[in-house]
């Protein structure tokens, strides 16, 4: 679909072969942005297609053959929960990329039209700052990004940590723990820890295919970290690197090994890894303010940054987040299931939650 908006620029809806053909242009457009977040790479559309079996779209605004705006979209279709158009599931930040307000509005107009044609319950755009548009009729801003400014070498940062944090990291160093970095060869260990922890939290786990796709599409930009205790994996994370910003989109540790401070040791190594790559920001991800995860991130010195998810609701939209109190009974049931069962059932459930 091509929508012409006067002589200045036009918007094209890309999918399938047209998306594949446009990918180098979109990557060049996003790559030209200073301090590019790793979640902003257009290849995430293929990661979510392969890893979660969703349908990717991209809206491209162009002028005289040059890309001037971009909006990535994923069509989420689930028998359990319905149909949604999201930018983007799994990731914390996405939405519209355009400098000119009229281009922003044009991309949102076309996204709303696409969401209506797909008969979705809503369009969800995961912005960091609100964008003014008359069709937005919902917002979710209950969480914040937690980000840490990084120095050029780790010494000053280490000295800035509270004594409790430094002591817990030192405890991890004395607890027979080893830290390992790699890719697909560590995926089985990663998924063992990740799926076990998700079961313990009462949360359906993502498919192993999602993390395999992350590693495959982002060689050199995505890596796994595994912490072992006497050879057994007890903590894990996936780390993604952008232009100046490193993010940890998923991390877990086994509750039975909390006494070893494996999680604290791992996060210190994650932060140090970003510093060694010359990054200026470490993104811990989103958290609800004053929650346990918020306080965990804040102790490292992370500060708040806005997370404003904007919606065009086409009807009454159900709240499907795991922190919804209505799900408390289901969470308790899930926590009692064997981990292999959750590894089978979880991906079928969580892929349909936008």
């Amino acid at each position: 679909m091509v929508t012409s908006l006067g002589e200045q620029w036009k918007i094209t809806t890309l999918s399938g072969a047209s998306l594949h053909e446009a990918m180098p242009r979109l990557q060049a457009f996003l790559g030209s942005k200073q301090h590019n977040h790793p979640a902003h790479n257009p290849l995430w559309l293929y990661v979510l297609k392969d890893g979660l079996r969703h349908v990717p779209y991209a809206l491209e605004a162009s002028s005289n053959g040059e890309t001037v705006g971009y909006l990535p979209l994923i069509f989420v279709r689930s028998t359990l929960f319905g149909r949604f158009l999201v930018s983007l599931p799994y990731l914390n930040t996405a939405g519209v990329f355009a400098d000119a307000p009229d281009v922003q509005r044009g991309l949102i107009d076309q996204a709303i039209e696409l969401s209506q044609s797909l008969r979705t319950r809503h369009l969800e755009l995961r912005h960091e700052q609100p964008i003014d548009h008359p069709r937005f009729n919902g917002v979710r801003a209950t969480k914040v990004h937690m980000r840490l400014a990084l120095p050029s070498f780790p010494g000053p940062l280490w000295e800035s940590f509270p004594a409790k944090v430094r002591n817990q990291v030192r405890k991890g160093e004395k607890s027979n723990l080893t830290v390992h970095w790699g890719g697909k060869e560590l995926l089985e260990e990663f998924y063992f820890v990740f799926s076990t922890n998700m079961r313990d939290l009462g949360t359906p786990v993502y498919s192993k295919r999602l993390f395999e796709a992350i590693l495959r599409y982002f060689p050199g930009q995505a890596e796994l970290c595994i912490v072992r205790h006497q050879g057994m994996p007890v903590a894990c994370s996936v780390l993604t690197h952008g232009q100046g910003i490193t993010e940890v989109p998923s991390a877990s540790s086994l509750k039975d090994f909390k006494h070893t401070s494996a999680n604290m040791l791992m996060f210190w190594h994650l932060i140090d890894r970003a510093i060694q790559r010359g990054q200026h920001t470490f993104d811990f991800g989103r958290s609800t303010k004053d929650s346990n995860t918020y306080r965990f991130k804040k102790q490292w010195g992370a500060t708040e940054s806005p997370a404003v998810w904007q919606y065009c609701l086409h009807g009454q939209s159900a709240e499907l987040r795991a922190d919804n109190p209505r799900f408390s009974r289901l969470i308790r049931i899930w926590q009692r299931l064997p981990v292999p069962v959750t590894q089978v059932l979880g991906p079928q459930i969580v892929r349909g939650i936008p």
Side-chain angles (χ1 to χ4, degrees), residues 93-321:
T93 176
V96 178
F97 300 94
D99 296 328
D102 57 338
V103 177
Q104 288 181 339
R105 286 192 295 271
L107 288 166
I108 293 170
D109 285 339
Q110 190 127 329
I112 292 171
E113 183 179 329
L114 178 61
S115 70
Q116 290 174 325
S117 69
L118 294 171
R119 305 191 308 280
T120 66
R121 299 175 68 167
H122 66 236
L123 167 70
E124 176 181 288
L125 302 183
R126 301 184 173 183
H127 294 139
E128 298 198 20
Q129 297 293 336
I131 294 178
D132 185 35
H133 193 282
R135 295 291 301 279
F136 285 145
N137 54 4
V139 64
R140 186 170 186 256
T142 57
K143 295 180 183 287
V144 292
H145 299 288
M146 296 297 288
R147 291 168 178 163
L148 174 66
L150 299 176
S152 57
F153 62 100
L157 185 61
W158 174 260
E159 293 300 324
S160 73
F161 293 152
K164 180 181 178 181
V165 170
R166 296 198 303 268
N167 289 338
Q168 287 178 316
V169 173
R170 292 190 185 106
K171 181 180 179 180
E173 293 173 338
K174 299 174 182 177
S175 297
N176 295 317
L177 300 172
T178 56
V179 180
H180 306 267
W181 295 92
K184 191 174 180 180
E185 73 279 6
L186 298 180
L187 187 56
E188 291 298 326
E189 289 180 288
F190 169 89
Y191 201 66
F192 162 73
V193 175
F194 185 71
S195 59
T196 301
N197 183 57
M198 291 297 104
R199 188 281 309 272
D200 292 343
L201 293 173
T203 303
V205 66
Y206 285 107
S207 168
K208 190 190 303 181
R209 288 194 306 271
L210 173 63
F211 303 103
E212 187 278 328
I214 292 172
L215 295 170
R216 175 159 43 91
Y217 280 102
F218 300 124
Q221 295 173 283
E223 54 186 340
L224 298 180
C225 180
I226 301 293
V227 178
R228 298 177 185 144
H229 179 261
Q230 298 179 349
M232 176 183 174
V234 297
C236 71
S237 60
V238 55
L239 206 60
T240 57
H241 306 284
Q243 297 172 202
I245 302 174
T246 288
E247 182 181 30
V248 52
S250 290
S252 285
S253 60
L254 300 183
K255 64 180 183 180
D256 290 344
F257 291 85
K258 183 178 180 180
H259 65 281
T260 67
S261 289
N263 200 44
M264 294 296 291
L265 180 66
M266 178 177 70
F267 267 89
W268 170 238
H269 277 265
L270 298 180
I271 293 168
D272 183 64
R273 191 77 161 185
I275 293 173
Q276 298 306 325
R277 290 180 69 107
Q279 306 287 67
H280 60 72
T281 301
F282 185 87
D283 191 337
F284 285 87
R286 293 188 318 136
S287 290
T288 301
K289 192 166 182 175
D290 297 325
S291 66
N292 288 337
T293 57
Y294 174 92
R295 288 189 287 270
F296 173 83
K297 298 166 185 178
K298 191 173 180 62
Q299 71 181 338
W300 294 98
T303 57
E304 298 178 17
S305 182
V308 183
W309 292 10
Q310 295 180 276
Y311 296 83
C312 177
L313 306 173
H314 303 307
Q316 186 175 4
S317 187
E319 175 55 77
L320 302 177
R321 308 296 170 189

